[in-house]
Amino acid sequence: MTKPAILLTPGPTPVPEVTRKLMAEPIFHHRTPRYREIFGDVSERLKKVFMTKNPVYTFAGSGSLAMEASLVNFHSAGDKILIGENGKFAERFTAIARAFGLNPIVLKVAIGEAVPPALIEEALKKDPDIRSVCVQLCETSTAALNDIRAIGAAVAKTRALLIVDAISGLGADRLETDHWHADLVIAGSQKALMLPPGLAFLSVSEKAKARMATAGLPRYYYDLKHYEKSLKDSDTPWTPALTLVIGLQKTLDLIEEEGLENVFKRCAANAAFTRETLQKMGLKLFSKAPSSTVTAACLPEGIDGEKLTQVMRDEKGIAMAGGQGDQMKGKVVRICHMGAITKQDVEAGLKVLGETLKEMKSSSGSSRCCSCQ
Ligand SMILES: *Cc1c(COP(=O)(O)O)cnc(C)c1O
């Protein structure tokens, strides 16, 4: 039997007990004043977490749905999209762009590094036809944090839109949506927002909204014109994932009680503690641009990362993520410190990681760092 685990994975993350209890209450119908009051309230308060004055739309779906919505609602076939590709999630933007007949221009960045803002600026200067720039806030696969403020400053000087996938980072790594000129910001429920999977969010700037009317790609379920109309009445065009929206209201209470700035500070402190502890254990950090959301470390040579995470999860009740993609699979371990993950959770996880590595090292006989880079 699988033991109940401390979840240190990059989504889902732990859901606080108060939120779980609230979501276990009897269901009710959504076309009611009771639901509209809740949805109107969360739609307003989400703006504070997004640090925006603009509308934030809520979809039933996982985060990737809002990634797709951010491309499809604002572009026409053949549009050039610049993608700062520094990991698996950035590659998803490229895949979606291709699937819809857009023209992705891929700015390939070494894995583990942040996307250099100067390269974005240069690419935009070279090609004024670029319609949008896509980057992640935190590229969860490598734990690299992008400098959205600097990228936003470069994009704001052009006609292009800045699309930021903040699915993991929003509510852990600082993102000043309006101030940093992020036109479309994407988030998901199951990461720093402390909810089960199933909600996707998208904030839309005035600059992006002006583009919407001319966007020619076909769309229906996530066509923002339906959501815009409904949101005026604190409603959604289709049946909302109302149980999760009820949970979201509690998440927003929790964030407001702690204070968003304090949430950032707590995640940053736990991230710093994680980095220090990993280095004391002799592990090398994978990301050159540390994030408060997730940390990745290179494993010693001879350690099978897949086995390591499996042993920790099944025998020791600690769920961490391994690596994704050719360069990282089996070679890194990723530990989260976002959302409701506490210092105690991180400490317990790191202790078990150290013990398990020792056990595996003594049987493998190797302890050289590192199998990646
Ligand atoms: C988790 C994650 C996604 C994927 O979100 P889903 O909810 O699985 O669709 C996309 N981008 C980033 C940065 C993520 O961390």
Side-chain angles (χ1 to χ4, degrees):
M1 240 245 325
T2 313
K3 284 186 192 172
I6 297 181
L7 273 183
L8 300 170
T9 45
T13 62
V15 179
E17 192 180 0
V18 276
T19 312
R20 282 187 280 119
K21 284 199 167 142
L22 198 62
M23 292 189 297
E25 291 292 315
I27 195 100
F28 54 90
H29 197 259
H30 57 285
R31 303 293 185 204
T32 52
R34 181 178 174 192
Y35 178 71
R36 279 195 286 270
E37 191 185 319
I38 296 171
F39 188 64
D41 177 57
V42 300
S43 298
E44 268 314 297
R45 286 158 75 203
L46 270 172
K47 293 179 184 175
K48 292 185 202 154
V49 181
F50 275 71
M51 298 191 172
T52 184
K53 290 198 176 67
N54 296 314
V56 179
Y57 296 103
T58 301
F59 307 98
S62 86
S64 301
L65 179 130
M67 291 176 79
E68 191 166 313
S70 76
L71 289 181
V72 175
N73 277 285
F74 302 94
H75 299 96
S76 302
D79 277 0
K80 286 183 186 170
I81 313 285
L82 180 68
I83 296 161
E85 210 181 78
N86 61 341
K88 287 301 282 182
F89 291 107
E91 286 170 17
R92 188 165 301 173
F93 270 133
T94 310
I96 297 169
R98 291 218 168 94
F100 283 93
L102 298 173
N103 182 4
I105 301 172
V106 176
L107 192 76
K108 201 79 182 154
V109 176
I111 218 125
E113 290 186 15
V115 176
L119 290 188
I120 298 275
E121 186 156 21
E122 203 180 293
L124 285 169
K125 269 197 191 130
K126 229 193 284 171
D127 193 345
D129 286 342
I130 289 171
R131 303 287 279 164
S132 291
V133 174
C134 298
V135 287
Q136 308 350 92
L137 171 61
C138 170
E139 172 47 78
T140 319
S141 66
T142 66
L145 181 71
N146 281 322
D147 185 348
I148 303 300
R149 186 206 303 248
I151 293 171
V155 178
K157 289 187 262 176
T158 72
R159 287 163 53 232
L161 301 177
L162 174 58
I163 305 177
V164 180
D165 165 6
I167 293 176
S168 66
L170 188 100
D173 279 307
R174 172 180 290 276
L175 174 60
E176 298 185 24
T177 295
D178 289 356
H179 194 205
W180 295 357
H181 310 287
D183 294 297
L184 295 160
V185 172
I186 302 154
S189 53
Q190 79 276 27
K191 310 231 173 160
L193 297 179
M194 306 180 269
L195 289 167
L199 294 179
F201 307 100
L202 182 65
S203 73
V204 180
S205 73
E206 286 290 325
K207 186 177 172 185
K209 196 182 155 191
R211 170 85 69 79
M212 228 171 87
T214 62
L217 288 181
R219 51 194 186 266
Y220 188 77
Y221 179 82
Y222 47 61
D223 187 338
L224 285 174
K225 79 170 182 271
H226 308 304
Y227 286 81
E228 199 182 359
K229 189 161 164 271
S230 295
L231 192 60
K232 289 197 175 77
D233 303 319
S234 302
D235 216 337
T236 44
W238 336 122
T239 307
L242 75 154
T243 307
L244 296 173
V245 172
I246 290 163
L248 175 61
Q249 199 175 31
K250 183 50 75 179
T251 284
L252 294 168
D253 289 345
L254 295 174
I255 292 175
E256 279 170 27
E257 277 160 26
E258 186 174 356
L260 186 59
E261 292 299 326
N262 292 329
V263 174
F264 291 149
K265 275 188 205 149
R266 170 170 58 81
C267 294
N270 289 342
F273 171 76
T274 302
R275 292 194 295 272
E276 263 166 47
T277 311
L278 289 167
Q279 285 172 303
K280 272 187 205 152
M281 282 159 58
L283 300 180
K284 205 174 109 194
L285 302 177
F286 188 78
S287 160
K288 310 277 187 297
S291 147
S292 297
T293 302
V294 54
T295 297
C298 295
L299 294 171
E301 256 178 74
I303 297 288
D304 173 355
E306 302 281 295
K307 180 92 203 290
L308 174 79
T309 50
Q310 183 238 309
V311 168
M312 287 199 292
R313 183 188 63 227
D314 295 344
E315 295 174 22
K316 307 176 185 221
I318 298 292
M320 287 186 192
Q324 295 170 289
D326 294 343
Q327 285 182 62
M328 289 179 289
K329 199 172 166 68
K331 298 173 185 170
V332 302
V333 65
R334 290 178 297 150
I335 303 146
C336 291
H337 17 68
M338 62 173 122
I341 294 169
T342 62
K343 172 95 186 271
Q344 287 77 9
D345 293 336
V346 172
E347 269 173 336
L350 289 166
K351 186 161 170 277
V352 165
L353 174 65
E355 288 164 8
T356 314
L357 276 174
K358 264 194 199 131
E359 291 159 19
M360 287 177 74
K361 266 183 209 166
S362 52
S363 60
S364 81
S366 167
S367 63
R368 274 183 305 136
C369 184
C370 302
S371 57
C372 50
Q373 292 189 334

